[in-house]
Amino acid sequence: MSLRFHEIAESRHRILNPITDAKLDLLGEICRIREGARQLDLACGKAEMLSRWSARYGLSGVGVDISEVFLAAARERATELGVSDRLTFVHGDAGRYTTEERFDLVSCVGATWIGGGLTGTLDLMRPMLRPDGLALVGEPYWIGDPPASALKEQEGFTTLAGTDDRFEAAGFELVEMVLADPDSWDRYMASQWLTLSDWLLANPDDADAPALRDFLRQSRRSHLEYGRQHLGWGVFVLRPKAQDRT
């Protein structure tokens, strides 16, 4: 999906992934965030996690995203929650972002394409993570045995156990996880169909309208055909293995 399609489809979402407000709060509790902690959020989108946790726990940090539309929403949300002085938002390719600073939390929630997949994204995150810090990564996974058409369309994902194998191979230990459920998947996906349909009704002559209409049809079909039944999604809390902490 093009960046513009992504921006249109998720224009009514605050959290750009299938977990709920309550589960985002649970995730913060799991991470035991101390006041003054520092977080780097790669491909932060509207930065709901970063802003919400800054307001709740007093952390500060940096959000990086390629979308100026999402970053504008992130700055607005940070101002709304009174934490804009604690957060810095950087417009750019999160896959190329580097800094000498090491953070208590490094997150990439639902955007492992920045590193060409899960393993590559973990490799990007590691140098910016403190040895005793936590990495948070959001990633889909297969439930049961999906049909061949689904495997062809969604290449690169694996089962929960296979995902853990990838964490281990990348030098991380899985210590916690918060998973979406089918209802939250529906709210994330199905609400986009209404948003896209409304946009197409309001912009029938836009140059991207035919492609966006095709995208809407495919998004709806894939979710109904296999996504809801076979595709899960979760945020995984990782810690560098003791022998790999440097």
Side-chain angles (χ1 to χ4, degrees), residues 118-119 139-142 156-169 174 236:
L118 178 58
T119 301
E139 182 78 346
Y141 59 90
W142 289 118
F157 301 140
T158 183
T159 63
L160 268 177
T163 301
D164 185 39
D165 289 341
R166 292 177 181 180
F167 296 149
E168 290 282 331
L174 174 63
F236 302 92

Side-chain angles (χ1 to χ4, degrees), residues 1 140 142 146-157 189 214-228 231:
M1 166 167 70
W142 289 118
S149 59
L151 291 172
K152 182 177 181 180
E153 185 175 328
Q154 300 284 357
E155 295 179 0
F157 301 140
M189 295 299 300
D214 288 342
F215 167 74
L216 169 57
R217 281 194 291 265
Q218 178 59 30
S219 172
R220 184 168 50 226
R221 183 66 184 181
S222 63
H223 183 69
L224 298 176
E225 183 177 346
Y226 65 79
R228 194 175 195 275
L231 195 62

